[in-house]
Amino acid sequence: MEQRRAIRIPKFRRRAEARPDEVLDAALDLFIEKGFAATRVEDIARRAGLSKGAVYLYFPSKEAILEGLVRRAIVPIATQALSSAENYEGDPRLVITMVLKMLAAKLNDPRLLAIPKLIVREVPGFPELAAMYRREVLDKVMPVIEKLIRNGIDQGYLRPVDPHLTIRSIVGPVMLHVAMAEIFGITPPDGFAIDRLIDNHLTILFDGLSAPDGAKRWTSS
Amino acid sequence: MEQRRAIRIPKFRRRAEARPDEVLDAALDLFIEKGFAATRVEDIARRAGLSKGAVYLYFPSKEAILEGLVRRAIVPIATQALSSAENYEGDPRLVITMVLKMLAAKLNDPRLLAIPKLIVREVPGFPELAAMYRREVLDKVMPVIEKLIRNGIDQGYLRPVDPHLTIRSIVGPVMLHVAMAEIFGITPPDGFAIDRLIDNHLTILFDGLSAPDGAKRWTSS
Amino acid sequence: MEQRRAIRIPKFRRRAEARPDEVLDAALDLFIEKGFAATRVEDIARRAGLSKGAVYLYFPSKEAILEGLVRRAIVPIATQALSSAENYEGDPRLVITMVLKMLAAKLNDPRLLAIPKLIVREVPGFPELAAMYRREVLDKVMPVIEKLIRNGIDQGYLRPVDPHLTIRSIVGPVMLHVAMAEIFGITPPDGFAIDRLIDNHLTILFDGLSAPDGAKRWTSS
Amino acid sequence: MEQRRAIRIPKFRRRAEARPDEVLDAALDLFIEKGFAATRVEDIARRAGLSKGAVYLYFPSKEAILEGLVRRAIVPIATQALSSAENYEGDPRLVITMVLKMLAAKLNDPRLLAIPKLIVREVPGFPELAAMYRREVLDKVMPVIEKLIRNGIDQGYLRPVDPHLTIRSIVGPVMLHVAMAEIFGITPPDGFAIDRLIDNHLTILFDGLSAPDGAKRWTSS
DNA sequence: AATGAATGAGAATTCATTCAT
DNA sequence: TATGAATGAATTCTCATTCAT
């Protein structure tokens, strides 16, 4: 009930406006580094240059910070990819190439990669986060790609494949490349090499792994 | 709030030998369901049919349970896949097809899928787990596939691609298919459909997405 | 979260003098409603139409507000009851009746009842409040009533009873009536009915509960 | 995540059975002494000879301790008073005298007095406690007294008064006596003197304050 | 005079781990 | 072996109080 303090260094009082974002930035770093559960609110505060109590001026709970993090990340992503590819009429391989390169660029930015990583880790505890991300991001982006494939098939650019499943064949290799690097530190001998990965992958994706003249037509059975 | 038990009939007193495994089984369920941090040792004990204290007879700490879990999972996996594909000399597409189908089978078994899921979630907190898994599993399996591809190229079955990076193109789509289902509940309209996914993927993988007669040869960028 | 104000029209800028009283009013409401400990200074401020910081311009601490509350309530009370009854020489039953009715009137006013309620609740934490209230109120009022009774006895109006203890017999029933209503919500079927309570009580107080001709004289024990 | 301990003194491990009551005893002392809000769970634990954590083995929250306290106190009280007075047919003044002396005895026992004191203090925060006490104690005891009075009137022992309101005239003075002593430390010069209070009160209660031959019949305005 | 952002001590609650039985 | 009572460090969240503006 009493409160004694030594010489106080008043630190630096900043505008309240910027604070929530600073808290989110700090939290993102720490959640990625140690996970949600292992991160103390005080750590977040300290990294954001605030006191523990101040964090609670901006977020009512630790969980709200996590939610705020995902919410903040969602807004800009959702609006982008759509515009470019939506109703492209020409060779879809061009757009697919662009999409993959754009994806690679995003995954190369640690701050952007952090959000999906976070969601992947924390789904079991906060399924609503995954639902939100799915709703706001995946459910908007995936249909665009699917339509792109469908159009490509209809216009004779692509072979008749299942458009929905083919999304995995297009994007999966890039994702796995990133995941292996992130989770197990497995990279090609020359580093992350995402560009080489994409080149190699596009080659296979569009023309297949089989040698051109090679043996008889391949049939999985 | 009290719990007295009448004369206890020891039933089929299980061999003490089986206990550690029962603990691991219980722990695996719970770690997957709620994550390592959110799982209480008492929960594990209860699910394994033991008292909290008894768990500590078999594992010195909660962390040791996690480690034991990964260690147990590693042994059988590592020895399998190797034997079959190691020095196969014929069409590698056949082996690749087999490998993917075997992989799909494993990923379809929740108890087997659980371990990688667990590792993915808990890496930041326990990097040594990821290291162990990489050392014991990935570092043994991946070179085999890489060699398979290299041989396929050398023998004219496959086009000249980067064998290391091509692993992603082979396995990535399957992984992404599973991940999307697990994390976001995203599946094709007809369910998990891993078999259709593999068929669709193999078609693309070996023969490419491009329509056969279609436009001129495709070149990325 | 920001608050910019255009040209501020100061309206009826309240006299700063009134502020402490507004704070006390707000505090009284809240202390009664939720207790001292459960009331936040910010709540008081908000209800008083001030900012948290401004409260501290008028009171050095939360505790000081409580003290100020009691102090403010004490002044007017102490001076009143005394004058009327002090040296009354006639039938004391008349004065007692008046006193009880005045008491009932005060207890009927929530703002006046609030102070004793507050003191009752917070004694253990702030014994000095009780001491102050006793010194300033009870120690002034009780002797007056005691003297009234003593005079009544001396002058043959009342039977010989212990004047000090008899205060309880006079006032206790009214207090209990109020307490039961306040604490447990126990009232007669027709509501608070303080007037009927007082009538019923005065009847018993002056003439006794025993039927007039009834059995032999009653003797306790 | 690590836990180091110095030389440990294993203290005294007692039977778990007695513990909840020990916790309640400790809590009662402290709640009375400092109030619910100002009492720390650790204080309770220490006084009960346990560690903080152990308290939570028996009560899920601090609030549950308070509730347990009231619940424990209620059981024995409720069953007693009823039996004796229920259908008494003779002079009710005898029973009333007994009831008041029994009440006085209870109020003289600090452990028994503590519960109502606690309830009075904590009502605003925990209205359900008051409701429980009312339901289990007051609603059972008061009708008995009311019936006693009614019977007394019907049988000519008592004058026609309002039975419900008269309960206040009977019990109020004793309550006020106790309250004044407890809250303000106001007692007669010779100490608590509850017996003298009761004697004095019974005299007035049954025969009235008015001098027997005294002036004309008294009528409250 | 007034604001409200910021601080930090403090309290409730949880849970891995220990240990007497 | 097995139990579960007990411990106490750790963590989230609250709120009285301060102070730059």
Side-chain angles (χ1 to χ4, degrees), chain D residues 142-153:
Chain D
M142 285 177 55
V144 173
I145 304 179
E146 197 171 330
K147 189 178 177 195
L148 195 67
I149 298 170
R150 205 181 307 276
N151 287 348
I153 295 169

Side-chain angles (χ1 to χ4, degrees), chain A residues 14 19 50-54 58:
Chain A
R14 255 179 296 182
R19 284 291 158 87
L50 281 96
S51 70
K52 198 180 9 159
Y58 303 105

Side-chain angles (χ1 to χ4, degrees), chain A residues 12 28 32 45 59-60 72-73 87 89 94 99 131 138 144 152 162-163 165 167 176 195:
Chain A
F12 198 74
L28 184 52
I32 284 305
F59 297 91
R72 177 178 72 164
N87 285 310
E89 287 292 319
L94 193 61
V99 164
L138 303 181
V144 173
D162 180 313
L165 294 175
I167 296 177
L176 181 58
D195 290 328

Side-chain angles (χ1 to χ4, degrees), chain A residues 121 162 196 205-206 209-210, chain B residues 121 162 196 205-206 209:
Chain A
R121 282 201 63 195
D162 180 313
R196 274 185 48 230
L205 178 65
F206 293 136
L209 201 47
S210 304
Chain B
R121 281 200 66 192
D162 179 312
R196 274 186 48 231
L205 178 65
F206 293 136
L209 200 48

Side-chain angles (χ1 to χ4, degrees), chain B residues 6-198:
Chain B
I7 307 107
R8 193 132 67 96
I9 302 157
K11 301 195 174 173
F12 242 109
R13 178 76 86 129
R14 270 183 274 243
R15 279 181 303 286
E17 282 167 49
R19 284 290 162 84
D21 258 321
E22 289 167 4
V23 171
L24 291 182
D25 288 341
L28 183 53
D29 287 350
L30 291 164
F31 287 168
I32 284 304
E33 190 183 319
K34 330 196 291 182
F36 176 81
T39 297
R40 289 173 0 236
V41 172
E42 180 147 25
D43 293 339
I44 299 173
R46 186 147 20 242
R47 185 179 288 225
L50 281 94
S51 72
K52 204 180 355 167
V55 169
Y56 282 87
L57 295 174
Y58 302 107
F59 297 91
S61 73
K62 190 181 166 190
E63 196 174 327
I65 298 176
L66 179 57
E67 195 187 314
L69 221 32
V70 175
R71 201 177 299 281
R72 176 178 74 164
I74 271 170
V75 184
I77 287 182
T79 43
Q80 288 184 352
L82 299 175
S83 50
S84 53
E86 187 67 76
N87 286 310
Y88 186 81
E89 287 293 317
D91 189 333
R93 290 174 296 196
L94 192 62
V95 187
I96 286 171
T97 300
M98 280 171 43
V99 164
L100 278 189
K101 290 193 167 168
M102 189 188 305
L103 173 64
K106 285 196 193 302
L107 296 177
N108 232 348
D109 177 348
R111 312 283 312 170
L112 288 178
L113 177 55
I115 295 293
K117 270 165 75 179
L118 196 50
I119 290 172
V120 165
R121 281 200 66 192
E122 309 295 346
V123 223
F126 308 97
E128 64 281 11
L129 287 190
M132 187 198 304
Y133 193 81
R134 175 189 170 161
R135 194 173 348 99
E136 303 295 332
V137 179
L138 303 181
D139 283 354
K140 290 183 177 162
V141 173
M142 284 176 56
V144 173
I145 304 179
E146 197 172 329
K147 188 179 178 193
L148 195 67
I149 298 169
R150 202 181 310 276
N151 287 348
I153 296 170
D154 291 347
Q155 294 162 24
Y157 288 104
L158 306 179
R159 293 200 296 120
V161 290
D162 179 312
H164 186 83
L165 294 176
T166 297
I167 296 176
R168 280 85 169 158
S169 290
I170 296 173
V171 179
V174 180
M175 297 306 236
L176 181 57
H177 189 73
V178 173
M180 289 196 326
E182 285 286 326
I183 298 167
F184 298 105
I186 297 179
T187 63
D190 59 327
F192 186 51
I194 185 75
D195 290 329
R196 274 186 48 231
L197 181 277
I198 288 187

